[in-house]
Amino acid sequence: MWFFARDPVRDFPFELSPDPPEGSPPGPWVLHRGRKKATGSPVSIFVYDVKPGAEEQTQVAKAAFKRLKTLRHPNILAYIDGLETEKCLHVVTEAVTPLGMYLKERVEAGGLKEQELSWGLHQIVKALSFLVNDCSLIHNNICMAAVFVDRAGEWKLGGLDYMYSAQGNGGAPPNKGIPELEQYDPPELADNSGRAVREKWSADMWRLGCLIWEVFNGPLPRAAALRNPGKIPKSLVPHYCELVGANPKLRPNPARFLQNCQAPGGFMNNRFVETNLFLEEIQIKEPVEKQKFFQELSKSLDSFPEDFCRHKVLPQLLTAFEFGSAGAVVLTPLFKVGKFLSAEEYQQKIIPVVVKMFSSTDRAMRIRLLQQMEQFIQYLDEPTVNTQIFPHVVHGFLDTNPAIREQTVKSMLLLAPKLNEANLNVELMKHFARLQAKDEQGPIRCNTTVCLGKIGSYLNASTRHRVLTSAFSRATKDPFPPSRAAGVLGFAATHNLYSMNDCAHKILPVLCSLTLDPEKSVRDQAFKAIRSFLSKLETVSEDPTQLAEVEKDVHAVSSPGMGGAAASWAGWAVTGVSSLTSKLIRAHPTAMPAETNVPQRPVPEGHPVPPPNPVPATPTTSSHWETQEEEKDTAEDSSTVDKWDDEDWGSLEEAESVLAQQDNWSAKGQANQTVQVSHTDHKSLESDWSSWEAEGSWDQGWQEPNSPEPPPEGTRLASEYNWGSTEPNDKGDPFAALSIRSSTQPRPDSDSWSEDHWEGLETESRSLFPPPGQAKAELARKKREERRREMEAKRAEKKASKGPMKLGARKLD
C-alpha cells in the first residue's frame, strides 16, 4: 500500500493570483494578490522563499511572521492566516497595495487631496505611538516600503522584519544588510562612541520625517535632501523640522507629535480627520452625539474620497441603523454614499436596509424614505416592490398626518411603473378614490388628481375607461380651486386615452361648465382644453378615416410611453398644477391643508339641518371662503397657471419642504377642530376610512346616472289636476303628500356625485343667487340677533321693576 504525503500549499485555504507580483519592496518578502478559495474574497499574500545559505534572512522573515501574527492594532497590517514550510513562508493579510504604487495611481488619476494625506500620516504616527509607548518596541524600518493602503484608503504599517525591543532584552537590533533601507537610519547611529543621548523613539521619528518627505516629494535620493522641505505643506513644516533635527533628544514622542499637528490650524486639524476619529469611537458615543454627527455628515461626503465613503462610512451607517438608535438621520448620508456603489453592490447592501426601513412605524423615517425614493427606486425589482414595499407604503394613505398622506401620493409616481395588475388597477385606485372624495385637505385632493393624470398611461384599458373620466369630472366639482384646475389638466394630459364619443358626451359638457368658474385660472385652462378637444373632434369630422388613428391608444395595453405621442399639445395640459400646489403649500402652510373655511356642502331635502358651527367672532360662510381664497391665491394662481407654456409637470413638490411643514400640519389640524365645518353625515376619520370601499370606490361612485323612479301609486298626472278650481278637494293636495314623503326619506340620487354633494357646490358657485349655505348662515345670524334683543329687553324690564336706588339709602331687611 502506498501513502502519499499531503501538499500543505495545495491544502492551504488561500491561493495566489496568476497576476504578477504587486511589488518586491526592499526586504525578503514578495507581495502577491490572492483570494480565499471558499468565498473568493480578495487578500494579499506575502511570500518568502527559503534559500540555502540565507539562514540569517530566514530568521528575520520568521521573526516578522511571528510579530505580525501577535500584534493587533487598527493601524497595523491585519494578519489573517499563515503557512510555514521548509521551502517557503506565506503570510495572508487584508487586501492592500504598497503606498508607493497607491500614490502613483492617485497622481495619475488626478492627485491626492491634502486631507487624505493628513489622515494617512495620522494613522502611521498612531501605529508608531502604539508600538513605542504601549509595547516598548522599536519598528526600525519606517519608510515608504513598510506602509500599505487598504481598499478604504486607510494606511497600514507593515514591514516588521527588523523590529526589536526597546528594553534591550531581545539582543542587538537585527542587521538589515540592504543599502536601500540603511539610508533612512538617523545620523547618530553612525556614532559608535555611544555619547549621543537619545530617546527610544528618536530613530523611528527620524525615519518618520523621511517618510513625510517622500510622501510629498517622491523617493528620497540621499539624506542631505531632508534639509529642503520641498512640497511639504507650510502647516506641517515646523513639526517636520523637529523630526529631522540633528539633536535626537529634541525629537518629539509620537503621541506629542499628533497633539501638535491636531492643534488649531495644524496640518491634521480638518473635517476629514475629525470624521475618521469619530467613526473609530462611534460605539462609545452618546446617541445625541451620533444624531448630530450623521446630520452633519451629508454635507461633507462630497469632499471625501469615494473609496473611503464606500468601505468605511457605509459599513458604519449600516451598523448604526441595524444595531444603533440613529433612526431616520442615517438615510440622507446612506443614499448619498449609495451613488458610489455598483448596481450589484447596491442590491446587496442598501436594498435590504431600505426594505426593512419601510416596515418601520417611525414617521420621520417613513417620510424621509418617501422623499428620497427617487434615489433608490431604480434598484428595486418588481417582486420586491409589490410584496415588500407597496403593502407598507399604502398605510400612508390612511395616516392621520397630512404630510405623510401627501408624500405617499407623490411616491406613487415612482412606484406605479413597477406595480402589478392588482396593486395598480385595484388597490391603488381605491385609495386614490377615497383621497379625492373624502380627504379634508384640498392640496392632497389636488395632488391625487395630478398623480392620476401622470400614471394614467400605466392603467389597463378597462380601468382607464372606468376611472379617468369620472375622476377628473369629480375633481372639477372640488371646492378647492387648484383641484378643479388639476381636473382640467388631467383631461388634457390623458387626451389620447378617450374615445371621440366620450370626448363629445362626457368630457366637453364637464369642461363647458367650468367656463363660468369663479376662478379665472380655472376658466382659462378650461377654454384651452375645450379648444383642444374640439380640434380633435373637428379633425375626425372632416376626415372620418382618421378615427382609428386618433383612438389607437384608447384600447391599447398600458404603456408608459402612451402619453408621449401627442406631446406637442399635451405638454401644456400637465403644467402649473404641481408648482401651483407647491406654492400654495409654501405660501399658506397653516391655512392651506385643513380648509377651515371650506363652504358647507348642501344638505339634501329630508335631512336635518346641522346646528350652526361655533365660531370665534363672525360666522364662516361659503361666500366668505370664496372671497378669502380668491384674495389669498389670485396672484399666485394666475401667475402660475397662466404660464403653462413655460412650465413642466415636474416633480409634484420638492421633498425637502414637507418635513418643515409637519409641525404646521399637526398644529393647524388641532386648531381647526373648533372652526371646522360640520356635515350632517359627518363621521370620524377612522370610520370614514373603514367604509371607503362603499363610499369612495370609483367602481361604485362613478357610474352612469340612475334612471328616475316611477311616481308613487295613486299619484295623478299634472294634466288631471284641477289647477284653477277653487272648490275644496276632499282628497287633499297630492303634492303635499309627496312633500311629506320627501321630508321623511331622502331623494334618490340624481347622479353618482350626490354622496359627496360636490354637484350642489358646483351649481352654487355658478349661480347668481346666494348659495343655501350663505342663506342658512344669514338666517342663523338673524335668529341670534332676535335672541339678543329679547335678552336685552328682559334685562331692562327686570331692572326697571326694581326701581332706582337712592344714594346713601340703607337696605332694610
Side-chain angles (χ1 to χ4, degrees):
M1 181 178 290
W2 296 87
F3 293 94
F4 296 95
R6 299 180 61 182
D7 185 358
V9 176
R10 181 179 299 175
D11 296 338
F12 194 51
F14 299 89
E15 62 181 0
L16 298 177
S17 170
D19 298 334
E22 282 199 330
S24 299
W29 299 94
V30 178
L31 175 60
H32 294 264
R33 291 182 182 271
R35 68 179 185 90
K36 190 173 183 178
K37 294 179 180 178
T39 62
S41 55
V43 294
S44 290
I45 303 178
F46 292 84
V47 178
Y48 171 75
D49 293 323
V50 178
K51 299 177 182 179
E55 288 77 9
E56 186 176 358
Q57 263 319 60
T58 302
Q59 293 300 320
V60 169
K62 290 183 178 180
F65 189 164
K66 182 179 178 181
R67 292 286 191 189
L68 190 61
K69 190 175 182 179
T70 55
L71 283 174
R72 294 290 181 176
H73 190 269
N75 304 125
I76 294 179
L77 199 59
Y79 173 88
I80 296 177
D81 201 351
L83 174 67
E84 183 177 354
T85 67
E86 296 179 355
K87 296 182 179 180
C88 65
L89 294 175
H90 286 192
V91 177
V92 182
T93 68
E94 57 186 319
V96 292
T97 302
L99 178 60
M101 185 181 298
Y102 175 79
L103 294 177
K104 183 179 179 181
E105 292 175 355
R106 290 303 302 269
V107 168
E108 293 175 354
L112 274 171
K113 296 182 180 179
E114 189 174 295
Q115 61 180 6
E116 299 178 58
L117 297 176
S118 67
W119 174 242
L121 292 172
H122 183 284
Q123 292 176 293
I124 298 304
V125 178
K126 198 170 182 180
L128 197 56
S129 176
F130 166 74
L131 293 175
V132 171
N133 298 318
D134 298 336
C135 304
S136 294
L137 293 174
I138 306 301
H139 187 277
N140 198 30
N141 192 27
I142 301 292
C143 62
M144 186 81 76
V147 180
F148 303 89
V149 184
D150 67 6
R151 60 179 185 173
E154 304 277 275
W155 292 17
K156 307 285 184 175
L157 182 60
L160 309 183
D161 307 72
Y162 307 106
M163 182 179 291
Y164 64 96
S165 174
Q167 299 174 351
N169 52 10
N175 182 24
K176 297 179 182 178
I178 302 176
E180 293 89 341
L181 297 180
E182 291 179 348
Q183 69 172 343
Y184 299 107
D185 290 341
E188 62 268 15
L189 291 184
D191 185 4
N192 297 325
S193 62
R195 291 178 296 180
V197 180
R198 58 180 181 267
E199 301 288 349
K200 59 182 180 180
W201 57 78
S202 297
D204 277 345
M205 295 308 288
W206 169 278
R207 298 184 181 99
L208 176 64
C210 298
L211 174 63
I212 292 174
W213 195 95
E214 287 190 318
V215 166
F216 290 100
N217 298 296
L220 180 65
R222 54 189 180 277
L226 296 173
R227 299 175 183 176
N228 181 17
K231 299 179 182 179
I232 297 177
K234 293 182 179 180
S235 58
L236 183 59
V237 169
H239 309 296
Y240 160 78
C241 292
E242 292 180 352
L243 300 179
V244 294
N247 188 349
K249 186 71 176 177
L250 299 179
R251 295 172 195 156
N253 185 283
R256 185 169 143 259
F257 178 80
L258 279 181
Q259 292 178 356
N260 296 339
C261 291
Q262 288 182 270
F267 177 67
M268 298 179 184
N269 183 20
N270 55 62
R271 177 62 181 166
F272 189 61
V273 173
E274 292 173 359
T275 300
N276 278 280
L277 292 176
F278 190 95
L279 289 174
E280 288 184 350
E281 301 174 352
I282 193 171
Q283 303 300 332
I284 60 175
K285 296 292 184 179
E286 295 293 330
V288 177
E289 294 178 298
K290 293 181 184 179
Q291 291 275 341
K292 182 179 179 182
F293 171 76
F294 287 124
Q295 287 174 351
E296 298 175 350
L297 179 61
S298 299
K299 304 175 185 177
S300 306
L301 287 177
D302 292 331
S303 63
F304 289 172
E306 180 179 327
D307 292 337
F308 168 77
C309 295
R310 291 173 54 194
H311 301 295
K312 188 166 184 179
V313 175
L314 181 59
Q316 292 293 346
L317 291 173
L318 298 177
T319 302
F321 170 75
E322 192 76 20
F323 305 106
S325 57
V329 294
V330 304
L331 288 177
T332 302
L334 180 65
F335 292 137
K336 211 163 190 178
V337 174
K339 296 178 181 178
F340 301 129
L341 303 179
S342 64
E344 184 179 355
E345 289 178 315
Y346 204 102
Q347 287 284 348
Q348 294 177 352
K349 298 179 179 180
I350 306 293
I351 293 303
V353 176
V354 170
V355 172
K356 186 175 181 180
M357 286 178 177
F358 269 108
S359 62
S360 172
T361 56
D362 182 7
R363 277 179 169 170
M365 180 173 292
R366 286 165 55 194
I367 199 168
R368 283 179 182 263
L369 280 170
L370 295 174
Q371 288 171 345
Q372 303 184 51
M373 185 178 291
E374 189 174 0
Q375 301 187 31
F376 58 84
I377 186 65
Q378 58 181 322
Y379 301 104
L380 296 174
D381 54 20
E382 293 186 8
T384 302
V385 170
N386 286 281
T387 60
Q388 301 183 56
I389 292 182
F390 183 75
H392 296 296
V393 173
V394 293
H395 293 313
F397 290 123
L398 307 178
D399 200 285
T400 55
N401 189 336
I404 298 286
R405 298 203 302 275
E406 174 122 6
Q407 213 55 45
T408 304
V409 170
K410 297 175 183 178
S411 68
M412 292 302 110
L413 202 60
L414 300 171
L415 289 178
K418 296 179 180 288
L419 294 180
N420 58 27
E421 180 81 9
N423 286 336
L424 178 62
N425 294 283
V426 180
E427 187 71 16
L428 180 58
M429 292 301 103
K430 288 181 180 179
H431 285 288
F432 270 20
R434 200 225 161 278
L435 286 175
Q436 195 190 42
K438 299 294 183 183
D439 199 282
E440 71 275 11
Q441 310 295 340
I444 294 180
R445 298 197 302 270
C446 176
N447 277 343
T448 302
T449 305
V450 172
C451 188
L452 183 61
K454 293 173 87 57
I455 69 173
S457 60
Y458 296 103
L459 304 175
N460 61 37
S462 61
T463 304
R464 293 198 304 264
H465 178 74
R466 187 180 71 254
V467 167
L468 293 184
T469 305
S470 301
F472 298 141
S473 298
R474 169 182 283 178
T476 61
K477 304 175 192 290
D478 196 299
F480 190 55
S483 292
R484 300 200 295 273
V488 178
L489 298 176
F491 274 129
T494 56
H495 68 97
N496 59 312
L497 304 179
Y498 307 114
S499 65
M500 293 298 98
N501 186 57
D502 286 345
C503 292
H505 293 93
K506 295 183 180 180
I507 298 175
L508 280 175
V510 173
L511 295 176
C512 288
S513 66
L514 292 176
T515 57
L516 295 177
D517 193 274
E519 295 290 333
K520 186 178 185 304
S521 59
V522 178
R523 297 197 300 269
D524 291 343
Q525 297 290 2
F527 281 119
K528 292 175 184 178
I530 289 172
R531 286 193 292 269
S532 299
F533 278 103
L534 286 177
S535 176
K536 287 185 68 177
L537 291 170
E538 187 177 359
T539 301
V540 175
S541 175
E542 302 236 343
D543 186 5
T545 60
Q546 294 190 15
L547 179 62
E549 176 67 20
V550 173
E551 294 186 350
K552 65 179 181 179
D553 293 334
V554 174
H555 301 290
V557 180
S558 60
S559 170
M562 248 185 230
S568 58
W569 78 274
W572 68 265
V574 293
T575 59
V577 174
S578 131
S579 55
L580 168 64
T581 307
S582 178
K583 288 184 178 181
L584 285 171
I585 292 175
R586 281 192 280 267
H588 311 291
T590 58
M592 173 268 302
E595 289 188 33
T596 305
N597 300 325
V598 172
Q600 295 186 5
R601 295 178 179 176
V603 180
E605 294 183 14
H607 288 222
V609 179
N613 299 308
V615 292
T618 58
T620 302
T621 63
S622 175
S623 61
H624 171 72
W625 179 87
E626 291 175 358
T627 304
Q628 188 181 36
E629 282 295 329
E630 186 173 0
E631 291 173 355
K632 287 183 179 179
D633 303 329
T634 297
E636 292 178 359
D637 293 2
S638 60
S639 64
T640 306
V641 181
D642 290 346
K643 295 181 180 179
W644 48 265
D645 283 316
D646 303 327
E647 295 185 5
D648 186 21
W649 183 284
S651 60
L652 297 179
E653 183 189 349
E654 293 300 326
E656 289 76 13
S657 65
V658 176
L659 273 181
Q661 297 163 10
Q662 286 187 36
D663 297 335
N664 291 337
W665 289 102
S666 303
K668 172 183 47 50
Q670 297 174 359
N672 289 336
Q673 292 177 0
T674 60
V675 295
Q676 200 168 16
V677 178
S678 63
H679 189 274
T680 306
D681 298 326
H682 177 72
K683 301 177 182 179
S684 65
L685 191 59
E686 291 75 14
S687 63
D688 275 346
W689 285 340
S690 64
S691 61
W692 63 266
E693 291 187 357
E695 296 180 345
S697 174
W698 283 335
D699 293 335
Q700 300 180 17
W702 292 345
Q703 302 296 335
E704 297 299 326
N706 300 325
S707 59
E709 295 184 4
E713 185 177 356
T715 303
R716 290 188 299 173
L717 298 176
S719 60
E720 300 175 3
Y721 185 66
N722 187 7
W723 294 94
S725 174
T726 57
E727 298 178 1
N729 191 346
D730 298 336
K731 296 182 180 180
D733 187 359
F735 293 101
L738 289 178
S739 178
I740 296 174
R741 192 158 40 244
S742 66
S743 65
T744 58
Q745 62 184 19
R747 288 186 308 177
D749 294 341
S750 61
D751 59 27
S752 58
W753 301 109
S754 59
E755 63 170 345
D756 297 318
H757 311 300
W758 283 359
E759 187 174 46
L761 285 175
E762 178 72 11
T763 305
E764 293 162 15
S765 63
R766 313 297 187 268
S767 177
L768 297 177
F769 299 98
Q774 182 176 354
K776 291 172 185 175
E778 183 68 20
L779 180 60
R781 187 185 63 79
K782 291 180 179 180
K783 287 182 179 181
R784 287 196 294 273
E785 286 292 330
E786 293 175 2
R787 178 65 175 167
R788 183 179 58 80
R789 295 192 191 99
E790 291 177 3
M791 294 297 295
E792 290 178 353
K794 288 182 180 180
R795 283 195 289 269
E797 183 181 353
K798 186 176 180 181
K799 185 176 181 181
S801 64
K802 295 181 179 180
M805 292 186 66
K806 295 181 180 180
L807 185 61
R810 185 175 182 182
K811 188 175 180 180
L812 301 177
D813 294 337

